[in-house]
Amino acid sequence: MTNDFAGLEAAQEQAIQKARKRVIESIGKNMDLYGITQSTGLLYGLMFFQDKPMNLDEMGQAMEMSKTSMSTGIRTLVDLNMVNKVWEKGSRKDLYEVERDWHQTFADFFVLKWRKAVELNLMALRRSKAELDKLAESGGSEAMQVLIGGDLEKIRQAIDYYLWLDRVIDLMESGEIFKHVPKEEPSD
């Protein structure tokens, strides 16, 4: 790895390292929102500040962790589209870099996680609705009909919610969300 701090005074390097460390630790602590371990979050944070792709050996050296641990973390980050595998002429090792568009990273993650949840919940709700509809058609006591009616109303409300959420997922997946909630201009 190249020395990003060449030509800086020790105090300048220390100040930059301190600022980076704060961001890296914050990223590591908050990656549980994505279902990612803190160590993988720290790896992501480290890579965030790199200006060139890194290989597993470089990551392991910087993080003082094994190549196996780095491989597991990178695989997780690649699966979530948070890190991309890149090709570099002359390099025989796999290289990785952070996806810089955090808006798209969030959208990809949201779609990946919520699409499956919506499908599973809609399937369960529709199956239960069909069973309760059939039970209601069979007659039964007034108390049973009232109970089924209440459950069917709750199920209809849940189905409406998941259909709405499916439309939100479609907005994320298509990128249309950014027409409604634009990415902000660079700020401080």
Side-chain angles (χ1 to χ4, degrees):
M1 288 187 5
T2 61
N3 183 358
D4 296 337
F5 303 105
L8 297 182
E9 295 175 13
Q12 294 168 327
E13 178 181 343
Q14 187 177 18
I16 292 169
Q17 290 283 30
K18 181 180 176 184
R20 285 182 176 185
K21 183 179 179 190
R22 183 181 306 111
V23 172
I24 291 168
E25 287 174 352
S26 177
I27 289 170
K29 288 176 185 171
N30 290 303
M31 280 297 186
D32 64 328
L33 295 170
Y34 290 91
I36 295 174
T37 64
Q38 185 171 357
S39 63
T40 299
L42 293 171
L43 172 61
Y44 179 85
L46 167 78
M47 294 178 69
F48 174 72
F49 284 107
Q50 299 303 307
D51 292 325
K52 68 174 197 66
M54 296 178 77
N55 64 47
L56 293 176
D57 293 328
E58 292 169 329
M59 291 174 214
Q61 182 180 11
M63 297 278 298
E64 297 179 1
M65 294 174 70
S66 71
K67 191 173 181 178
T68 303
S69 295
M70 293 300 99
S71 179
T72 301
I74 281 296
R75 193 171 333 118
T76 299
L77 293 169
V78 167
D79 289 348
L80 293 172
N81 296 324
M82 297 176 83
V83 167
N84 301 309
K85 189 174 179 179
V86 295
W87 177 82
E88 193 173 272
K89 186 177 179 180
S91 177
R92 288 191 260 171
K93 295 183 177 187
D94 291 337
L95 297 168
Y96 302 90
E97 65 184 2
V98 167
E99 172 56 55
R100 298 273 176 211
D101 186 346
W102 283 15
H103 298 87
Q104 190 59 51
T105 296
F106 173 78
D108 290 345
F109 176 78
F110 184 88
V111 168
L112 180 74
K113 294 296 183 179
W114 279 100
R115 178 77 68 196
K116 184 168 43 169
V118 166
E119 290 169 359
L120 288 172
N121 285 316
L122 279 174
M123 188 169 54
L125 288 162
R126 288 175 174 149
R127 185 172 178 184
S128 292
K129 181 184 178 305
E131 290 170 357
L132 290 174
D133 283 338
K134 187 175 180 179
L135 186 59
E137 291 171 7
S138 71
S141 70
E142 183 178 331
M144 185 184 86
Q145 293 297 329
V146 168
L147 190 60
I148 290 172
D151 285 359
L152 285 171
E153 180 57 28
K154 291 171 187 166
I155 288 173
R156 276 192 275 285
Q157 290 173 1
I159 288 172
D160 288 347
Y161 165 74
Y162 283 111
L163 292 175
W164 170 84
L165 186 54
D166 197 43
R167 294 192 320 267
V168 172
I169 294 167
D170 289 342
L171 283 174
M172 290 279 193
E173 191 169 44
S174 69
E176 289 289 311
I177 188 70
F178 301 120
K179 290 181 181 177
H180 302 282
V181 185
K183 297 177 185 180
E184 299 296 324
E185 293 296 318
S187 62
D188 56 346

